[in-house]
PDB file of all heavy atoms in Angstrom:
ATOM      1  N   THR A 175     -25.897 -10.807 -49.407  1.00 95.00           N
ATOM      2  CA  THR A 175     -26.689  -9.788 -48.773  1.00 95.00           C
ATOM      3  C   THR A 175     -27.978 -10.372 -48.228  1.00 95.00           C
ATOM      4  O   THR A 175     -28.411 -10.046 -47.084  1.00 95.00           O
ATOM      5  CB  THR A 175     -26.937  -8.626 -49.707  1.00 95.00           C
ATOM      6  OG1 THR A 175     -25.700  -8.099 -50.200  1.00 95.00           O
ATOM      7  CG2 THR A 175     -27.704  -7.479 -49.011  1.00 95.00           C
ATOM      8  N   LEU A 176     -28.619 -11.171 -49.084  1.00 96.00           N
ATOM      9  CA  LEU A 176     -29.924 -11.726 -48.591  1.00 96.00           C
ATOM     10  C   LEU A 176     -29.657 -12.689 -47.467  1.00 96.00           C
ATOM     11  O   LEU A 176     -30.524 -12.791 -46.510  1.00 96.00           O
ATOM     12  CB  LEU A 176     -30.555 -12.490 -49.794  1.00 96.00           C
ATOM     13  CG  LEU A 176     -31.042 -11.639 -50.979  1.00 96.00           C
ATOM     14  CD1 LEU A 176     -31.496 -12.531 -52.099  1.00 96.00           C
ATOM     15  CD2 LEU A 176     -32.170 -10.699 -50.523  1.00 96.00           C
ATOM     16  N   ASP A 177     -28.594 -13.425 -47.472  1.00 92.00           N
ATOM     17  CA  ASP A 177     -28.253 -14.308 -46.378  1.00 92.00           C
ATOM     18  C   ASP A 177     -28.185 -13.522 -45.042  1.00 92.00           C
ATOM     19  O   ASP A 177     -28.678 -13.914 -44.019  1.00 92.00           O
ATOM     20  CB  ASP A 177     -26.958 -15.007 -46.653  1.00 92.00           C
ATOM     21  CG  ASP A 177     -26.454 -15.858 -45.520  1.00 92.00           C
ATOM     22  OD1 ASP A 177     -27.265 -16.683 -45.025  1.00 92.00           O
ATOM     23  OD2 ASP A 177     -25.305 -15.731 -45.104  1.00 92.00           O
ATOM     24  N   GLU A 178     -27.452 -12.375 -45.069  1.00 91.00           N
ATOM     25  CA  GLU A 178     -27.261 -11.536 -43.893  1.00 91.00           C
ATOM     26  C   GLU A 178     -28.649 -10.962 -43.449  1.00 91.00           C
ATOM     27  O   GLU A 178     -28.944 -10.967 -42.273  1.00 91.00           O
ATOM     28  CB  GLU A 178     -26.333 -10.430 -44.153  1.00 91.00           C
ATOM     29  CG  GLU A 178     -24.915 -10.876 -44.579  1.00 91.00           C
ATOM     30  CD  GLU A 178     -24.153 -11.463 -43.414  1.00 91.00           C
ATOM     31  OE1 GLU A 178     -24.674 -11.561 -42.308  1.00 91.00           O
ATOM     32  OE2 GLU A 178     -22.951 -11.937 -43.628  1.00 91.00           O
ATOM     33  N   LEU A 179     -29.447 -10.546 -44.371  1.00 95.00           N
ATOM     34  CA  LEU A 179     -30.752 -10.017 -44.074  1.00 95.00           C
ATOM     35  C   LEU A 179     -31.619 -11.061 -43.409  1.00 95.00           C
ATOM     36  O   LEU A 179     -32.278 -10.808 -42.378  1.00 95.00           O
ATOM     37  CB  LEU A 179     -31.444  -9.419 -45.330  1.00 95.00           C
ATOM     38  CG  LEU A 179     -32.900  -9.026 -45.187  1.00 95.00           C
ATOM     39  CD1 LEU A 179     -33.029  -7.908 -44.150  1.00 95.00           C
ATOM     40  CD2 LEU A 179     -33.474  -8.598 -46.530  1.00 95.00           C
ATOM     41  N   MET A 180     -31.708 -12.243 -43.971  1.00 94.00           N
ATOM     42  CA  MET A 180     -32.547 -13.280 -43.438  1.00 94.00           C
ATOM     43  C   MET A 180     -32.033 -13.759 -42.044  1.00 94.00           C
ATOM     44  O   MET A 180     -32.839 -14.086 -41.199  1.00 94.00           O
ATOM     45  CB  MET A 180     -32.632 -14.478 -44.413  1.00 94.00           C
ATOM     46  CG  MET A 180     -33.289 -14.153 -45.729  1.00 94.00           C
ATOM     47  SD  MET A 180     -34.933 -13.307 -45.519  1.00 94.00           S
ATOM     48  CE  MET A 180     -35.157 -12.612 -47.158  1.00 94.00           C
ATOM     49  N   GLU A 181     -30.721 -13.727 -41.908  1.00 91.00           N
ATOM     50  CA  GLU A 181     -30.176 -14.087 -40.603  1.00 91.00           C
ATOM     51  C   GLU A 181     -30.651 -13.116 -39.532  1.00 91.00           C
ATOM     52  O   GLU A 181     -31.038 -13.514 -38.441  1.00 91.00           O
ATOM     53  CB  GLU A 181     -28.613 -14.050 -40.675  1.00 91.00           C
ATOM     54  CG  GLU A 181     -27.905 -14.342 -39.419  1.00 91.00           C
ATOM     55  CD  GLU A 181     -27.586 -15.775 -39.215  1.00 91.00           C
ATOM     56  OE1 GLU A 181     -27.818 -16.570 -40.149  1.00 91.00           O
ATOM     57  OE2 GLU A 181     -27.015 -16.109 -38.193  1.00 91.00           O
ATOM     58  N   ALA A 182     -30.568 -11.873 -39.842  1.00 92.00           N
ATOM     59  CA  ALA A 182     -30.986 -10.786 -38.916  1.00 92.00           C
ATOM     60  C   ALA A 182     -32.492 -10.950 -38.552  1.00 92.00           C
ATOM     61  O   ALA A 182     -32.879 -10.964 -37.412  1.00 92.00           O
ATOM     62  CB  ALA A 182     -30.688  -9.423 -39.448  1.00 92.00           C
TER      63      ALA A 182
END
Side-chain angles (χ1 to χ4, degrees):
T175 304
L176 294 174
D177 176 53
E178 299 291 357
L179 172 60
M180 296 307 164
E181 177 93 2

